[in-house]
Amino acid sequence: MSQANFWENQLQANKAVQELKLLKLAVENWQELSDKIKEIKELIEITRQEDSDLVNPIEKNLDDLLKEIDSLEFKSLLSSPFDKQSAILSINAGAGGTESCDWVGMLLRMYSRWAENKNYKIKITDMLPGEEAGIKNVTLFIEGAYAYGYLKSERGVHRLVRISPFDSNKRRHTSFASVDVIAEIEDDVELDLKESDLRVDVFCSSGPGGQSVNTTYSAVRITHIPTGIVVICQNERSQYQNKHVALKILRAKLYEKKLKEREEELKSQYGQKLKIEWGSQIRSYVLHPYNMVKDHRTDIETSNAQAVLDGEIDMFIEGFLKKEALQR
């Protein structure tokens, strides 16, 4: 980076800077834990030599240290080629009508809270409101190191059981929504993406009304004619920005398709598309007649459903990834 011509190639320079950030993060985390271990050892020696009130603080520091070590050890599981990348997450309503659209909104909030707690950046690129309430489907970028590595475990059907707020008779309803996650692909990854294979349509951004509705033709829909893949971006301020983001999503989808076609073994990593209905869920969120969230792949469960819906999903993510690592 100290070379005079470092910034002449912007693409390579940005890649080097990103790589440096990841390496620094790994080394700094390890160094920080190493320093804490030395401090605790010194405190233990002090308590051995003289009576001290340091026993309780040492025990607390040890508990915190073990949690940090466990977290760092877990990160070592994120070693697949694209685990360090940002994630493109899509949520789609399934069986359940308005209930499922509302469930998509709840999941969007859950993942947004989780991402905020991880200090990731969140950018919604496309959102289709439900006919009566909620959201039919939404796509968002979650930008930050290892976002995809964590969130790939969330791919699948999510089931909600609760008393419906839309039912005047207060009956229990079951709703479904599917979550799909793909890794953001860097620009230097080779893809045979020709302009002649793309159909680009522009239109006015949609919204719930009022100032939210864009009055200019800034929204962009790109159709990849050979595969039929369609991506939409309408939340950026200009047509150019929307097109840039849409192309990013398209590249990621095409690369995912390419990997699936080339290697059968990646089917297990990228998941099998399931019907968004009963019997295909990876996780159930029960809010009535009791509170429980259970992951059906690992049998990990908690009765604190509200905390999970507030973004505390690390127990499910880590449980799945640890199980997956053991099966390799």
Side-chain angles (χ1 to χ4, degrees), residues 82-102:
F82 296 104
D83 281 351
K84 65 183 180 181
Q85 301 296 102
S86 297
I88 301 168
L89 185 143
S90 301
I91 313 172
N92 296 279
T98 301
E99 278 290 321
S100 289
C101 291
D102 191 53

Side-chain angles (χ1 to χ4, degrees), residues 77-274:
L77 298 178
L78 303 177
S79 57
S80 296
F82 296 104
D83 281 351
K84 65 183 180 181
Q85 301 296 102
S86 297
I88 301 168
L89 185 143
S90 301
I91 313 172
N92 296 279
T98 301
E99 278 290 321
S100 289
C101 291
D102 191 53
W103 178 217
V104 170
M106 293 169 68
L107 287 172
L108 173 61
R109 178 182 177 275
M110 182 182 81
Y111 289 119
S112 297
R113 289 286 184 91
W114 175 85
E116 288 166 3
N117 291 337
K118 297 284 185 186
N119 294 317
Y120 290 150
K121 293 181 181 178
I122 307 161
K123 183 190 295 182
I124 294 175
T125 62
D126 182 42
M127 182 187 294
L128 179 63
E131 293 176 3
E132 296 179 20
I135 303 165
K136 280 189 176 180
N137 56 67
V138 60
T139 301
L140 60 155
F141 266 110
I142 298 181
E143 300 179 47
Y146 295 98
Y148 173 72
Y150 286 116
L151 288 171
K152 65 184 182 183
S153 64
E154 294 299 290
R155 189 185 293 110
V157 177
H158 296 245
R159 168 179 170 250
L160 173 69
V161 180
R162 64 170 178 173
I163 297 294
S164 171
F166 306 101
D167 188 337
S168 58
N169 294 318
K170 301 298 180 183
R171 290 173 294 189
R172 189 172 66 171
H173 285 246
T174 300
S175 313
F176 298 89
S178 71
V179 173
D180 195 21
V181 185
I182 56 177
E184 182 185 10
I185 302 302
E186 295 177 353
D187 292 337
D188 59 347
V189 173
E190 290 187 13
L191 279 174
D192 186 20
L193 192 59
K194 302 174 184 175
E195 284 286 339
S196 59
D197 290 337
L198 304 179
R199 185 174 72 242
V200 181
D201 301 308
V202 295
F203 57 96
C204 288
S205 298
S206 61
Q211 294 180 347
S212 303
V213 178
N214 197 330
T215 56
T216 63
Y217 285 83
S218 61
V220 174
R221 180 193 300 110
I222 301 179
T223 304
H224 187 246
I225 298 169
T227 61
I229 293 174
V230 179
V231 294
I232 298 172
C233 184
Q234 57 179 324
N235 283 37
E236 299 295 329
R237 292 187 176 183
S238 70
Q239 186 182 119
Y240 173 80
Q241 289 173 314
N242 279 324
K243 185 177 179 181
H244 177 71
V245 174
L247 281 171
K248 266 193 170 186
I249 299 172
L250 178 61
R251 283 175 58 81
K253 286 181 176 288
L254 287 173
Y255 196 77
E256 180 193 22
K257 187 175 187 301
K258 181 179 177 182
L259 287 177
K260 284 181 178 179
E261 291 173 350
R262 281 188 176 180
E263 301 180 43
E264 284 293 315
E265 65 195 30
L266 286 177
K267 284 184 178 178
S268 59
Q269 177 184 345
Y270 277 87
Q272 183 180 2
K273 295 291 183 183
L274 297 170

